[in-house]
Amino acid sequence: MRSRDSFKRAAQLLCEAESLLIVPHLHPDGDALGSALGLYHALKQMGKPVVEVVSHDSVPEIYRFLPDWQAIHLEHPHQTTYDLAVVVDQSQLSRAGKHEPLVRAARRILQIDHHMPLEQFADVRIVDTEAAATAELVYRLLRSMRVRMTPEVATCLLTGIVTDTFSFKFPNTTPRTLRIAAALQQAGADLSYISEQVFETRSFSAVKLLGLALSTLQRTSDGKIAWITIPRRAFEESHAHEEETEGIVNFVRSVRGVELAMMLRESPKGKIRVSLRSRGKVNVALLAQQFGGGGHENAAGCTLETSLAEAEMILVREAQRWMESST
Ligand code: AMP
Ligand code: MN
Ligand code: MN
């Protein structure tokens, strides 16, 4: 389907639906939350009788400045069959977590996403891997519907863009990204306030955890792969939450000579969650896919069900193989 057609069909679905469910991904980040809440505000403004946002995980502290973040519920809301489920920022429905059945039960599913496509689960898809953030696509969709950009909508969407471009520093930032960001700023989003909230405000515990995490830094002898590990006891010692590891992997990637950076953290349920980042041509989404994960060329993730030490061994070995084959 041509992109113009999918925007048209998506707009039609949004206009027709009376009850809507919006679902960000597991462990939601600024793009998942900003896209979901931006859409929520826009649909409320359009006068939709039922608009609900459900998330598998709670809203991380750093995103609790988003207007109406409390509208994001963790538990099953009242309605069980929605006219439309809008799934944002995810390429696999399993990323909806416990809300996957609720999405499947909806009369129609709309997917808005910018990851490498993995699974076809939606009736209508707005999927563009060239978009820096899902929030960009939400913006374009709302514009095509001539929805008014209120400061609330603009704040949510700009947060999505700022998070996924790492403040316009990542190579996914395009002229279009900047034009959309400018329009959102014009519509009332405060860029410096958003950046301050997302990147420059941390809890005491989170900064303690950062120290513990960075003290485990290692690299391969050629210096191209570097990684850190965060065992359970680091969380206990620092009193930090798992969500507070967001962004730490960028320090690993920043080491001169590093082309592939990894952060392995031990989740409460004994799972190892892995964040992968790369510089240049190394495609980490494909590496993550080998372990059932996914993401983008330069930022991806996966989950392993092994011990931390085992995961470290497996990943370093695979990453080395991967580097050799991609260079
Ligand atoms: P993170 O390292 O958690 O910030 O994630 C980086 C990117 O990879 C994001 O776009 C995530 O949506 C994606 N991602 C992370 N973990 C997974 C996973 N287990 N499966 C699929 N995609 C993932
Ligand atoms: Mn995301
Ligand atoms: Mn995203």
Side-chain angles (χ1 to χ4, degrees), residues 149-152 154-155 158 182-191 194:
M149 284 294 144
T150 60
E152 287 78 22
T155 300
L158 189 55
L184 292 170
Q185 193 179 36
Q186 193 96 52
D190 185 338
L191 177 61
I194 293 171

Side-chain angles (χ1 to χ4, degrees), residues 11-291:
Q12 197 178 353
L13 283 184
L14 289 177
C15 288
E16 285 168 3
E18 302 243 303
S19 59
L20 297 105
L21 179 73
I22 306 170
V23 191
H25 59 73
L26 289 167
H27 307 288
D29 51 26
D31 188 28
L33 295 167
S35 298
L37 277 176
L39 207 49
Y40 168 85
H41 284 287
L43 291 164
K44 282 291 214 191
Q45 189 188 301
M46 285 166 70
K48 295 290 175 188
V50 181
V51 186
E52 266 147 19
V53 188
V54 288
S55 167
H56 182 93
D57 295 294
S58 58
V59 176
E61 195 103 25
I62 56 169
Y63 299 118
R64 295 195 184 167
F65 71 94
L66 288 170
D68 274 357
W69 68 268
Q70 295 98 330
I72 300 178
H73 298 288
L74 301 184
E75 292 313 321
H76 207 283
H78 332 110
Q79 184 122 3
T80 48
T81 314
Y82 291 83
D83 290 339
L84 182 66
V86 189
V87 178
V88 294
D89 202 35
Q90 52 203 295
S91 52
Q92 296 156 287
L93 209 43
S94 59
R95 301 269 294 153
K98 65 184 176 191
H99 301 302
E100 181 179 343
L102 202 58
V103 174
R104 291 202 188 275
R107 292 187 185 92
R108 291 267 187 283
I109 303 176
L110 166 63
Q111 177 194 15
I112 310 176
D113 187 38
H114 67 135
H115 292 91
M116 281 180 60
L118 282 176
E119 188 183 274
Q120 296 261 11
F121 58 82
D123 297 287
V124 176
R125 309 162 64 230
I126 294 183
V127 176
D128 180 359
T129 54
E130 303 286 306
T134 295
E136 259 189 44
L137 300 171
V138 173
Y139 173 85
R140 288 170 54 195
L141 176 60
L142 295 178
R143 275 305 305 261
S144 78
M145 298 168 69
R146 299 180 199 286
V147 174
R148 196 164 60 88
M149 284 294 144
T150 60
E152 287 78 22
V153 176
T155 300
C156 294
L157 298 184
L158 189 55
T159 300
I161 294 173
V162 162
T163 323
D164 269 22
T165 59
F166 198 40
S167 274
F168 309 106
K169 286 184 280 196
F170 281 162
N172 57 0
T173 310
T174 64
R176 181 184 240 170
T177 313
L178 295 174
R179 280 196 294 269
I180 293 176
L184 292 170
Q185 193 179 36
Q186 193 96 52
D190 185 338
L191 177 61
S192 78
Y193 172 74
I194 293 171
S195 305
E196 182 71 22
Q197 297 303 310
V198 175
F199 297 112
E200 304 299 335
T201 313
R202 292 279 171 273
S203 72
F204 184 80
S205 315
V207 179
K208 284 289 234 189
L209 181 72
L210 172 67
L212 295 173
L214 292 183
S215 70
T216 71
L217 181 66
Q218 294 184 69
R219 63 178 165 182
T220 48
S221 54
D222 61 6
K224 289 184 180 171
I225 303 170
W227 68 97
I228 52 173
T229 53
I230 314 181
R232 231 28 255 160
R233 65 169 183 283
F235 289 100
E236 283 150 19
E237 202 180 315
S238 61
H239 302 291
H241 300 290
E242 196 186 349
E243 68 201 37
E244 292 181 305
T245 55
E246 195 176 325
I248 298 183
V249 68
N250 292 315
F251 287 96
V252 184
R253 181 186 172 274
S254 74
V255 175
R256 186 170 290 122
V258 167
E259 293 176 25
L260 200 168
M262 306 192 285
M263 171 171 76
L264 289 77
R265 56 205 182 280
E266 199 173 358
S267 271
K269 286 167 217 138
K271 292 185 181 167
I272 309 302
R273 291 188 52 214
V274 183
S275 288
L276 301 163
R277 298 292 184 272
S278 67
R279 224 199 293 263
K281 295 249 168 292
V282 185
N283 186 331
V284 284
L286 296 177
L287 177 59
Q289 277 175 31
Q290 291 188 18
F291 298 98

